[in-house]
Amino acid sequence: MAQTKVKSGLIDASFGTDWVNTIQTSNFTAVAGKGYFVNTTSGGITITLPAGTVGNEVVIQDYAGTFATNNATITANGSEKIQGGTNDKIISTNNATVTLIYQDATKGWTADNLAAAAVPLTVNFLNVAGAGGGGFASGGGGGAGGLRTSWTGGSGGGGSSESALSLTTATDYTLTVGGGGAGSSSSTSKGTSGSDSIFSTITSTGGGGGATRNSGYYNGLAGGSGGGSAGDGSGGTGGAGTTNQGYAGGTSSYNNAGASGGGGASAAGSGNVNPGFIGGDGGAGLAVAITGSSVSYAGGGGGGSQANYSRSSGGAGGGGAGGVGTSTGGDNGTANTGGGGGGDGNGDVSGGNGGSGVVILRYTNSYTLSEPGGSGLTISHAIDGSDRVTTVTAGTGTVQFN
């Protein structure tokens, strides 16, 4: 019961603290005017404060002298404040006695020995691999780099958005931005597949190279998204995409020399267009707004067309257009989109190079990212609302959050 005292002949029952007899060993919600003995021997405990009225008090006592090892975390009721802010606080001093007093809506609950609680390090990511290069001589379009993301809207290949990563401060995490594969300029080689992009436990697969019109080279290569097949009467098949990263390259249906487009993050590459001389378009990429603006990534490269016919289009998200005839090769995929290179036309030029990938990380701006290993990565930072957005456009290295 509360202590009492006599004042001017009357009993003042509001004097002192009403201590709760039960020792608190798990999370609880405090009541104004109460005192609590809190035992964190078995682990940290979260104490939710009540809605406050000016002058209200809540007292917390470290029962077992273990607050330094297992903190008591103080969290506000709804949108109310602690020490003028909305973040949680901790008590981390052994044997501490903490008296929280509610001042007003501006300052909320205050005390003289609260520390800032660590803000959880949750990192959202967009991880796009390097794309495949286009094939030679009615060459297939290069497949887009595999796309994985935790951001709203889903990953490539029709996959759901993945879970954000829960990471640890002052810990090294590997990061690599995948390069684009080279387009083919030879009848005895396909476009080169792109390289993987890696962040922590997340690996996106490089896009598959586009096929070349020559015996043994008709099929597109598998990858994050698959490369398109070559254009020829003997035909070929598009390379497979990777589950939850991208779609397959196109397979030509008509027995003429237009090639197929490479697969993209949100659609397969198209086969050649009737009557078969026009290359198929690259598969569309995927729009992701992790930076705060919607940007498309990982479009497939267009397939090569024969002379006097239209050029195919690269998929939205950086895919290069296909070449046409003997004078126009495939266009390069756009750097840092994972867009596939366009396939060559009739020959004599080359397939386009695949676009390089990108790694974008989004996390609360309570933290900063550094590169303790040196200058192996090309990094830029921006602020969007209360978050920091880090974009890595090239290199291999390690990063950590602090």
Side-chain angles (χ1 to χ4, degrees):
M1 297 295 294
Q3 300 177 30
T4 60
K5 68 177 182 178
V6 176
K7 181 178 181 181
S8 302
L10 300 174
I11 295 177
D12 182 357
S14 65
F15 178 76
T17 300
D18 185 6
W19 287 92
V20 174
N21 293 332
T22 303
I23 307 302
Q24 307 299 312
T25 58
S26 60
N27 300 342
F28 67 96
T29 298
V31 175
K34 300 287 187 179
Y36 298 89
F37 300 104
V38 179
N39 184 356
T40 65
T41 300
S42 298
I45 290 175
T46 296
I47 303 161
T48 302
L49 296 172
T53 300
V54 175
N56 282 168
E57 293 187 3
V58 170
V59 184
I60 305 299
Q61 171 66 45
D62 182 2
Y63 174 81
T66 54
F67 278 6
T69 303
N70 297 316
N71 303 154
T73 299
I74 309 297
T75 189
N77 175 285
S79 61
E80 290 198 333
K81 295 180 179 180
I82 304 173
Q83 308 281 65
T86 57
N87 292 332
D88 292 348
K89 301 293 183 180
I90 60 172
I91 309 171
S92 57
T93 302
N94 285 343
N95 301 308
T97 303
V98 176
T99 301
L100 294 119
I101 302 174
Y102 189 86
Q103 295 193 65
D104 58 20
T106 300
K107 292 297 183 179
W109 294 92
T110 60
D112 63 357
N113 48 358
L114 298 178
V119 178
L121 177 52
T122 300
V123 179
N124 280 288
F125 61 87
L126 169 66
N127 197 41
V128 181
F136 182 70
S138 294
L147 186 155
R148 298 178 63 180
T149 186
S150 62
W151 203 249
T152 303
S155 288
S160 300
S161 298
E162 302 186 39
S163 298
L165 298 174
S166 295
L167 302 182
T168 304
T169 58
T171 300
D172 288 349
Y173 294 98
T174 299
L175 195 154
T176 297
V177 177
S184 174
S185 58
S186 167
S187 61
T188 58
S189 66
K190 302 178 185 183
T192 303
S193 295
S195 300
D196 297 350
S197 284
I198 301 167
F199 173 63
S200 182
T201 59
I202 304 300
T203 297
S204 295
T205 304
T212 288
R213 188 181 63 185
N214 193 11
S215 178
Y217 299 91
Y218 293 125
N219 299 329
L221 296 176
S225 287
S229 66
D232 195 272
S234 300
T237 58
T242 299
T243 302
N244 298 330
Q245 296 193 33
Y247 285 92
T251 294
S252 297
S253 301
Y254 301 102
N255 291 329
N256 282 300
S260 300
S266 65
S270 297
N272 59 353
V273 179
N274 192 16
F277 299 108
I278 302 173
D281 293 338
L286 185 67
V288 183
I290 191 170
T291 63
S293 299
S294 182
V295 177
S296 290
Y297 303 89
S305 299
Q306 284 205 347
N308 302 318
Y309 288 88
S310 301
R311 298 186 73 181
S312 64
S313 298
V324 62
T326 58
S327 61
T328 306
D331 289 348
N332 295 332
T334 304
N336 300 129
T337 65
D344 184 36
N346 278 69
D348 300 329
V349 190
S350 69
N353 298 328
S356 56
V358 68
V359 177
I360 300 176
L361 308 175
R362 185 177 180 123
Y363 47 97
T364 175
N365 63 17
S366 300
Y367 292 99
T368 58
L369 178 145
S370 63
E371 187 186 359
S375 57
L377 298 168
T378 302
I379 299 177
S380 62
H381 304 282
I383 298 295
D384 185 52
S386 61
D387 288 342
R388 188 180 306 275
V389 179
T390 295
T391 301
V392 188
T393 54
T396 295
T398 57
V399 297
Q400 65 174 233
F401 299 86
N402 293 287

